[in-house]
């Protein structure tokens, strides 16, 4: 969130420590989440069966690594928490500004998520065609000529790629459960 | 011996063989240049096409795909910041910044020449030192392997970027990701939480594509104004000066030879391969450089190290295969299969029973290297045109290639969901300024470390063997030295920064 937060500061406002605070909060939240996952995995690893043939079982190596991760998470949280004391609160609306600034990235991510869901359902061809087209439109292909090029690219990437894999490489890309 | 060399040359330098090799080089370059498509994938797809060819022609064609692939991986690493293959990971560290500051032609030309010289050096080593190197490589027991991985893990110190803590955290996350799925020794399913997509583990390639490609592409479209104005990935006029790049590569002879030798050795160690060699060569180049602070900002030494290191593994990988019949990597296993399809038994007697084929393969390495050089130098202007394609086209096209690559890897729909999840995770890590390379390194080295640690202790419960076996001790000493040097460098840098402040 580093540069993004700093970019999102409304113009004309006095510089403050908000970006650093936002960074610290982000790191704390992220490391707390990782710590939680590490704890769950650590206990899960303890239940893995041991073997009579080897001194360390299936769970030992992951447990060692998880302990290291948890230790690093704690250090990171402590380091970032110390920064909170010296920084001021986030300016109001800064999260909204940040989200707005990243709208295209989130838009592409949303389309990619829909694409990943659609491939098994509608097959590679019919999921790729709208994805490539919609993505290009979202990223700026608005004039008729640009849209014509976008359609051509979408056709090549969907029908063309599918045909290439099927006929040349004899690899069948997903056909779609609903089709 | 002379007779065998001439017989090999007679079979190799024929029009059909040279033509299929040329096609192989082109196919290798193009396939590996597409993010998500690996060299192994290209070789596996090409294997059935070689069944009808004579033995040497078939193997030479596959070698051409192999060598073309090692260079092709560099193209998307330099132009898009996305490693085309795992072996081009370290190439992104300097080739991409170099391209972004307006020198994409220089980045590609340096990579091509470094790849060519790496292949050349490894071919020479292959001819001279195949039997003795193979003997050393197979003498490594699990203790030495584990120590080698510990040494390789110390590379993290070079890849951490601004914060050592964040780098270590990323490395630890990578090591843990690698533990998901079937346990490498007993086959026990770990951390699947009854989810089908996790029960088979998280394939390394999915992590690589998700972490680098998806997160990199999302970062490219953060600035809405830039994207809508039709901005390209790299703002530059196409300038491609291959001869100047050749002189630049040769201006760092120590770096070139050292990186190539790292590649040869890592290639000769079964199970390691180009994905580790490029990082290790990069790390050694940074440590040995007079300007280590330039690394990561577009240093030519970094590009040379990574590309010569990964290309040299092609010759290194053939060493245990030819001398002992042990494939050094998945690609070498496919090459071995190609020989076996033609009734040639691979093993210690290969060089005695089929000397003409073996010498033909040695010469094919040189020939494929030369073909790769010519093909790449002639076609790079075409590849450089990628830099003039608007982001609005590049982003969906590359994301689609990633999707295809993720699926085609194992023909599993669940890998598509994993790609999405890892991509989102990678984007979060990138936004929080965590270095991504240590994570990928952790995923590569984690299973090798665990397998060999457990195998060593299964063979003998005595921990001290890690310190009493000479090669293991030497590797651990190198690891300790590597950490001390990295810490010394960081402390020196910190004190310099304080003095400047």
């Amino acid at each position: 969130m580093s540069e993004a937060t700093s970019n999102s500061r409304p113009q004309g406002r006095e510089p403050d420590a908000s970006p650093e605070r936002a960074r610290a909060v982000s790191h704390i939240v992220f490391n707390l989440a990782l710590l939680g996952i590490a704890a769950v995995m650590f206990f899960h690893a303890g239940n893995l069966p041991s073997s009579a043939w080897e001194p360390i079982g299936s769970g030992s190596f992951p447990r060692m690594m998880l302990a290291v991760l948890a230790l690093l998470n704690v250090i990171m949280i402590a380091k970032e928490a110390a920064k909170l004391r010296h920084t001021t609160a986030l300016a109001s609306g800064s999260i909204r500004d940040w989200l707005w600034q990243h709208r295209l990235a989130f838009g592409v991510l949303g389309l990619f998520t829909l694409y990943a869901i659609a491939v098994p359902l509608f097959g590679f061809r019919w999921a790729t065609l709208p994805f490539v087209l919609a993505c290009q439109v979202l990223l700026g292909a608005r004039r008729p000529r640009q849209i014509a090029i976008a359609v051509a690219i979408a056709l090549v990437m969907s029908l063309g790629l599918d045909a290439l894999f099927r006929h040349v490489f004899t690899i069948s890309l997903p056909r779609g459960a609903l089709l | 011996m002379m007779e065998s060399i001439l017989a090999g040359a007679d079979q190799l330098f024929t029009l059909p063989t040279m033509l299929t090799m040329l096609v192989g080089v082109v196919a290798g370059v193009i396939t590996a240049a597409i993010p998500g498509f690996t060299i192994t994938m290209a070789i596996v797809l090409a294997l059935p096409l070689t069944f009808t060819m004579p033995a040497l022609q078939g193997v030479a064609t596959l070698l051409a795909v192999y060598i073309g692939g090692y260079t092709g991986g560099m193209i998307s690493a330099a132009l898009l910041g996305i490693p085309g293959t795992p072996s081009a990971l370290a190439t992104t560290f300097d080739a991409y910044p170099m391209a972004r500051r307006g020198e994409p032609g220089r980045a590609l030309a340096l990579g091509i020449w470094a790849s060519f010289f790496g292949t050349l050096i490894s071919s020479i080593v292959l001819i001279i030192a195949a039997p003795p190197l193979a003997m050393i490589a197979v003498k490594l027991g699990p203790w030495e392997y584990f120590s080698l991985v510990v040494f390789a893990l110390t590379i993290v110190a070079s890849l951490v970027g601004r914060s050592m803590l964040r780098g270590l955290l990323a490395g630890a996350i990578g090591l843990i990701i690698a533990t998901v799925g079937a346990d490498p020794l007993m086959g026990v399913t770990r951390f699947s939480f009854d989810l089908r997509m996790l029960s088979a583990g998280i394939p390394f390639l999915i992590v690589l594509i998700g972490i680098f490609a998806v997160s990199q592409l999302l970062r490219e479209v953060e600035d809405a104004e830039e994207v809508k104005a039709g901005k390209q990935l790299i703002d530059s006029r196409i300038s491609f000066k291959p001869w100047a790049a050749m002189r630049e590569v040769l201006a760092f002879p120590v770096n070139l030879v050292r990186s190539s030798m790292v590649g040869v050795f890592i290639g000769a160690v079964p199970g390691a391969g180009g994905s580790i060699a490029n990082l290790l060569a990069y790390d050694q180049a940074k440590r040995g450089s007079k300007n280590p602070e330039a690394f990561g900002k577009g240093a030519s030494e970094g590009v040379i190290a990574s590309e010569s290191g990964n290309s040299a593994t092609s010759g290194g990988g053939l060493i245990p295969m030819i001398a002992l019949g042990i494939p050094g990597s998945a690609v070498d296993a496919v090459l071995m299969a190609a020989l076996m399809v033609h009734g040639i038994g691979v093993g210690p007697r290969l060089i005695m029973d089929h000397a003409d084929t073996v010498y033909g393969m040695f010469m094919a390495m040189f020939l494929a290297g030369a073909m790769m050089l010519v093909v790449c130098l002639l076609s790079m202007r075409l590849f450089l045109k990628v830099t003039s394609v608007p982001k609005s086209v590049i982003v969906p096209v590359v994301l689609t290639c990633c999707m295809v690559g993720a699926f085609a890897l194992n023909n599993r729909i669940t890998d598509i969901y994993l790609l999405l999840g890892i991509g989102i995770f990678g984007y979060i890590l990138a936004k929080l300024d965590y270095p991504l390379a240590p994570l990928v390194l952790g995923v590569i080295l984690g299973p090798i470390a665990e397998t060999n640690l457990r195998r060593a202790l299964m063979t003998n419960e005595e921990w001290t063997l890690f310190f009493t076996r000479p090669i293991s001790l030497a590797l651990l000493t190198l690891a300790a030295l590597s950490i001390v040097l990295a810490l010394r460098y960081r402390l020196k840098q910190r004190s310099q920064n304080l003095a400047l402040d």
Side-chain angles (χ1 to χ4, degrees):
Chain A
M1 200 178 280
S2 49
E3 78 251 66
T5 319
S6 55
N7 290 342
S8 66
R9 188 184 303 127
Q11 284 184 347
R13 187 176 294 176
E14 282 297 307
D16 56 25
S18 305
E20 200 183 343
R21 189 178 184 87
R23 246 193 323 265
V25 171
S26 312
H27 280 297
I28 291 170
V29 171
F30 180 70
N31 279 278
L32 275 174
L34 280 182
L35 192 60
I37 295 169
V40 171
M41 287 174 81
F42 191 87
F43 288 112
H44 186 83
N47 297 328
L48 288 169
S50 56
S51 163
W53 306 103
E54 54 171 334
I56 62 169
S58 301
S60 306
F61 184 81
R63 283 190 123 188
M64 280 191 270
M65 295 303 114
L66 287 162
V68 171
L69 178 68
L71 178 69
L72 293 170
N73 288 145
V74 171
I75 296 172
M76 192 75 183
I77 291 167
K79 201 176 154 199
E80 295 299 323
K83 288 181 188 165
L84 290 180
R85 269 181 267 152
H86 313 293
T87 52
T88 53
L90 276 175
S92 66
S94 54
I95 293 175
R96 196 184 55 227
D97 290 344
W98 186 85
L99 288 171
W100 175 247
Q101 202 212 348
H102 287 73
R103 64 191 183 280
L104 280 188
F106 289 128
V108 171
L109 186 59
L111 284 174
F112 191 58
T113 307
L114 289 175
Y115 180 38
I117 295 167
V119 168
L121 299 176
F122 304 107
F124 174 77
R125 274 185 297 185
W126 305 117
T128 303
L129 187 71
F131 166 70
V132 176
L133 191 59
C135 219
Q136 288 180 87
V137 172
L138 175 76
L139 297 176
R142 305 283 161 83
R143 295 195 200 108
R145 188 169 171 270
Q146 290 172 326
I147 290 179
I149 294 171
V151 170
I153 292 169
L155 283 169
V156 170
M157 292 310 293
S158 55
L159 304 181
L161 212 53
D162 187 64
L164 176 76
F165 268 77
R166 194 144 34 100
H167 300 303
V168 181
F169 301 137
T170 58
I171 291 176
S172 182
L173 296 174
R175 316 299 311 156
L178 299 181
L179 295 180
Chain B
M1 182 180 162
M2 204 53 184
E3 267 177 41
S4 306
I5 293 174
L6 288 172
D10 189 42
Q11 292 173 51
L12 186 72
F13 293 99
T14 59
L15 191 63
T17 307
M18 288 173 69
L19 267 179
T20 53
M21 281 182 74
L22 189 64
V23 173
V25 167
V26 174
V29 170
I30 293 174
T31 311
I34 302 169
F37 290 41
T38 61
I39 302 169
T40 314
M41 218 183 266
I43 288 239
V44 170
L45 290 172
L47 178 65
L49 306 176
T50 66
F51 287 168
T52 53
M53 298 175 190
L56 184 59
Q57 187 186 356
V59 178
T61 306
L62 292 178
L63 277 173
V65 176
Y66 191 11
I67 287 166
Y70 268 125
T71 312
M74 171 265 298
I75 296 170
S76 57
L79 301 183
L80 306 174
I82 302 165
T85 61
S87 56
L89 179 60
T91 310
T92 57
F93 302 159
D94 282 293
Y96 187 55
M98 190 183 278
R100 284 224 93 147
R101 72 176 185 219
E103 299 178 291
R106 183 174 161 227
L108 287 184
L110 284 172
I112 294 167
W113 281 107
S115 289
F116 172 69
F117 287 120
T119 309
L120 204 67
I121 292 169
S122 79
S123 304
I124 294 168
V125 176
L126 173 70
I127 295 168
I128 299 170
L133 258 176
M135 292 314 292
I136 296 173
V138 292
K139 270 190 182 159
L140 302 185
W143 301 272
E144 286 79 17
Y145 266 96
F146 180 73
S147 303
L148 177 69
V149 173
V150 171
F151 174 48
L153 273 171
T154 59
I155 301 170
V156 169
S158 291
L159 307 176
V160 290
R162 277 177 291 174
S163 161
M164 178 74 92
L165 184 57
R166 286 201 291 268
L168 292 174
L169 252 161
I173 294 169
L175 285 165
I176 289 160
I177 288 175
T179 64
V180 175
D183 147 23
L185 284 193
M186 312 306 284
V188 176
T189 306
R190 301 185 295 199
F191 311 124
S192 70
F193 303 103
D194 294 329
L195 291 170
R196 203 158 59 94
M197 69 174 165
L198 292 179
S199 57
I202 303 175
F204 160 57
L205 193 68
I206 302 290
V207 177
L208 185 81
I209 307 172
I211 287 285
F212 275 94
V214 178
S215 70
Q216 174 69 28
L217 292 169
L218 291 176
R219 273 179 287 164
E220 287 295 343
V221 295
E222 279 177 356
D223 193 328
E225 302 312 316
E226 255 185 31
V227 176
K228 291 203 168 155
K231 195 172 186 301
Q232 302 138 4
L233 283 175
I234 296 163
D235 287 317
S236 71
R237 286 188 316 169
I238 295 174
S239 163
F240 187 59
K241 294 174 185 158
W243 303 114
M246 185 192 78
R247 283 193 292 275
E248 199 175 346
V249 171
L250 292 175
F252 298 101
V254 177
N255 182 11
L256 185 64
V257 174
R258 182 185 48 220
S259 305
S260 301
M261 293 310 291
V262 167
V264 170
F265 183 72
I266 295 294
V269 175
S275 46
I276 298 176
N278 73 107
L279 289 164
L280 208 54
Y282 182 87
D283 175 64
Q284 295 305 311
K286 188 176 174 183
R287 288 169 199 271
S289 170
K290 285 175 188 159
N291 300 307
E293 63 282 348
F295 278 67
K297 296 169 190 158
S300 53
E301 286 177 87
V303 183
I304 295 166
S306 171
E307 279 307 306
S308 55
N310 69 24
S311 292
T313 52
S314 56
L318 290 182
I319 292 172
M321 192 191 102
I322 287 175
L324 300 151
I326 299 169
S329 65
V331 175
D332 296 313
V334 180
L335 287 174
M336 218 164 115
L339 284 170
M340 288 156 91
V341 162
H342 291 94
I344 297 175
V346 182
R349 287 197 62 82
L350 177 69
I351 203 155
M352 285 178 262
D353 297 342
H354 299 279
D356 54 338
T357 307
V358 172
Y359 284 110
M361 284 169 69
F362 291 163
M363 282 182 278
M365 289 279 295
F366 284 109
L367 187 59
M371 282 181 172
M372 175 279 291
L373 184 69
V374 174
V375 165
C376 288
L377 289 181
L378 292 178
S379 63
M380 273 311 136
R381 285 181 190 280
L382 197 70
F383 278 110
L384 278 165
K385 290 202 186 295
V386 169
T387 57
S388 58
V389 177
K391 288 181 185 179
S392 60
V393 175
I394 285 278
V395 171
V397 167
V398 178
L399 280 174
T400 307
C401 291
C402 293
M403 184 70 88
V404 174
F407 174 78
L409 182 68
N410 294 311
N411 273 20
R412 270 200 312 247
I413 288 284
T414 49
D415 282 351
I416 292 175
Y417 304 136
L418 280 177
L419 174 70
L420 176 68
I422 298 276
I424 294 171
F425 184 64
Y427 185 56
I428 294 170
L429 283 176
K431 292 304 294 173
L432 290 173
D433 216 8
Y434 283 84
L436 302 177
L439 187 148
V440 176
L441 190 69
V443 179
I444 297 170
L445 297 178
I448 310 176
E450 182 179 6
T451 307
N452 288 291
L453 174 68
R454 288 170 63 183
R455 204 173 275 163
L457 294 174
M458 216 151 72
T459 314
N460 192 329
E461 284 189 36
E462 192 56 63
W463 279 87
T464 53
L465 281 171
F466 288 103
F467 303 99
T468 53
R469 290 173 66 104
I471 299 176
S472 173
L473 178 67
L475 288 165
L476 287 176
T477 311
L478 278 175
L481 204 68
S482 166
I483 293 170
V484 170
L485 287 175
L487 287 174
R488 212 183 106 198
Y489 171 68
R490 288 191 85 82
L491 286 173
K492 199 172 141 191
Q493 221 179 14
R494 189 177 285 179
S495 59
Q496 273 174 353
N497 289 345
L498 281 175
L500 279 174
D501 287 342

